Every structure is written in C-alpha cells, then in structure tokens.
Amino acid sequence: MPTLLIYGSYGFVGGLIAEEAIDRGLDPILAGRDRERLRQQVDELGQRGRRFSLEDPVTVATALEDVDCVLNCAGPFSNTAEPLVEGCLRSGTDYVDITGEIPVIESIHDRDEEATEAGITLLPAAALSTIPMDCLAAHLADRLPEATHLALGVDSFRVPSIGTLRTVIEGADTENAVRRDGDLESAPTGWKTREIDFGRGERPAVTMPMGDISTAHYTTGIPNVEMYAVMPQPARTALRLHRYLSPVFESKPVRWTLKQLAGVRDGPSERARERGSAYVWGEARTEDGERVVSRLRTPDPYVVTVDGAVTVAERVLAGDADAGFQTPAGAFDADFAFELEGVEGFFDESTPDETSPVNPLLQ
C-alpha cells in the first residue's frame, strides 16, 4: 500500500485531515516538529508517528525515503514548503499541500523542471478556495477559449483556525497582487471593490492576494487574473488602513504578540462546519467584451479543505497526476470539484440547455 505522510498533522486543520485519511483507510504517518503534540496525537489515533525538523535538507530527505507522498498541513507554508519540497526532490516523494500563499505557489512552480526530471508531482493549494476556484476557472476557459481576463471570487466568512491566523500574521506585510499580461504585479491591499452576485444577491467584495491568482493562470493560461472575497465593512476598513499601518505590523514584537494571541483561538466547531457553506463565482471575458459567468456552491471551507486535501493525496498516490508542478484542475480537469462531497454547479449564467443546468441560486 502506498505510504502517505501528513506533516503538521496535529494542528487544527492537520488533525481533521489526519482523521479523514484514517477513515479512508490510508494509514498515514503523522509527522511534525513538536514532540509532545505529536506523541499525544499518535497515542490518541493509534497511528505511526515521525518527528523531524526542517532545518537540514539531508534529514528531511532521509525522513521521506520510505514515503510515497507528503501532505503538508504545517503553515505558514513560507516556512515549511521549501524544505519539504527539497526533501521530496531528493527522496523521490510526491508533494501536496494546502497553502494559499502566492509566493509559495510561485516558488513551487519554479521547481517544475526539477520535479519532472525526478518523476515526482508537486501539487500545492489542495484546499478551498483553490480546488473549487481552479475547477471553475478551467470550466470558464472551456466556455470561452478566447478569454483574456479572468475574475474569481468567494463569499464565505469563516472564523479562521490558529494556523490560518498565524499564516495571515506572517504575511501581514505582503501587498495585494494581480496577474497582468501573465506577470504578477503588486497592488495596494483591498485596492478595488466590486459588487458581485455570488448566487444570493449582490455583495461588496474586495481584491485579495489569494493563491488562485497563480493557480488559475497556470491552469487556464489566461494572462489577466483578479481575485475577490466578500468582507464585512470593518474588515474592508482594516484592509484599507493596513497599507498605512503595515510598518507597525512588520515590527517583530508586534508580530510575536499577535501570534501569541492567535494561539488562543480554536477553529470552528463540528456543528458550525456542518452548517457552513461557500459561494464561488467566476467571470471570463475577452478584449472585445464577450463575457461568461459561472458559479459553484460548496460546503464549509474547512469541510472542502479536508475532503479536497485527502482526495488529492489519494489521486496522487494512485498515480493519476503527471510529474512536475500541477494545479488541481490542471491535474484532474474541471470536473474534479464534483469528486468532493456536497459541491454543486456549474451554474452558468446563460440560456439553459440540456448540458447547462438552470441555476437554482438565481431563481
């Protein structure tokens, strides 16, 4: 049986992913740097454990020699992805993670040639929003092959987990980003607001530096990409203020304090996750104004992340993904989103026909 190792398995999201992998019979090795937290999880779940740090690439490669695929759940991924990818390249191990950090995705893309030569798959961003968003982007590109501009967005306000908060704090000085003519360009945080109908009426959404700016471009080849997310008014105000307050957040003492405060937060309860949902929207257009719009509806973001990460790992372990850098839809096509339980769509904003379902969200 192929071997899966889950790094960062004892974090909030990592723990949910580990339990799901066990339920599916994958028998994962639980791994991370924290000896006590790992020992406690190993005892609770009755799984094998493997403690190793990421400072020495030889140590990482040695720890992965008998592993077929690493699923990295340890954020911030700006700290963990590079050494794990390096270890995977040295040991011939496939790599999957749940990052949403643009620089991380770009750095993994830069190792495409090495991964192809090593015969391994590098597939970052196996989470929400990227899996549904990436599949929606591929669907829109199929509907409008001549598209030159792609806008994507998500409507789901969710209290973040400890790991998510720490990832946000770690990247607090990162500017917004857009894709223009194939290149990444910086933009002020929250630089644009747009009224978008995600399927339950128009709501204000702001541009966000989400990883889909990279993955959607690599999946579709569309050169211009923007990302939006619905934010409540206080959050939109905070984003606008951030550009002026960023020097404060860059201070090491302030970051340390915020990380400690983040440590008292836990993720949403099981009941909250069962009741949650997300609405994903996409628009592709051409230079001459031709335009298509489609939507997806998904379960709670944490539910999609857990299901998506384990499903991607299963597909990679089965050899379904080519070697080299891959995106979810690039590896498995636009319909991959529907392998995840509870994902509904595509709801196309067009005249319905036998192949295009009427969108119940628009009725």
Side-chain angles (χ1 to χ4, degrees), residues 67-182:
V67 173
D68 295 293
C69 179
V70 168
L71 174 48
N72 180 15
C73 303
F77 296 92
S78 54
N79 296 339
T80 62
E82 193 279 330
L84 281 170
V85 167
E86 178 64 29
C88 287
L89 287 166
R90 294 183 181 215
S91 62
T93 304
D94 294 321
Y95 174 88
V96 175
D97 71 30
I98 58 172
T99 188
E101 302 167 44
I102 294 172
V104 172
I105 295 168
E106 291 295 318
S107 68
I108 294 174
H109 176 265
D110 289 343
R111 310 202 76 167
D112 172 61
E113 186 174 344
E114 293 174 78
T116 301
E117 291 177 356
I120 68 168
T121 299
L122 302 179
L123 203 161
L128 191 119
S129 63
T130 299
I131 292 177
M133 202 85 75
D134 201 45
C135 292
L136 184 61
H139 172 74
L140 288 165
D142 288 341
R143 291 186 66 198
L144 190 62
E146 303 82 13
T148 56
H149 292 72
L150 181 65
L152 300 166
V154 60
D155 175 5
S156 177
F157 184 71
R158 158 61 66 213
V159 176
S161 71
I162 293 169
T164 301
L165 283 169
R166 286 179 172 158
T167 296
V168 170
I169 293 166
E170 185 71 20
D173 59 344
T174 302
E175 287 189 320
N176 207 336
V178 295
R179 181 82 57 174
R180 288 198 183 100
D181 298 325

Side-chain angles (χ1 to χ4, degrees), residues 194-263:
R194 177 173 175 177
E195 293 289 331
I196 297 174
D197 182 0
F198 289 86
R200 48 181 178 175
E202 289 192 345
R203 304 186 70 187
V206 297
T207 48
M208 294 289 288
M210 298 166 69
D212 312 87
I213 289 170
S214 292
T215 52
H217 168 68
Y218 293 127
T219 295
T220 66
I222 295 175
N224 301 285
V225 183
E226 293 180 352
M227 286 297 312
Y228 293 85
V230 169
M231 290 275 183
Q233 182 57 53
R236 297 200 303 273
T237 300
L239 282 173
R240 287 194 295 270
L241 290 174
H242 172 265
R243 71 188 71 170
Y244 306 109
L245 298 177
S246 58
V248 176
F249 287 98
E250 291 171 23
S251 156
K252 288 185 178 180
V254 170
R255 285 194 177 206
W256 183 87
T257 301
L258 289 172
K259 286 183 181 181
Q260 303 315 303
L261 291 173

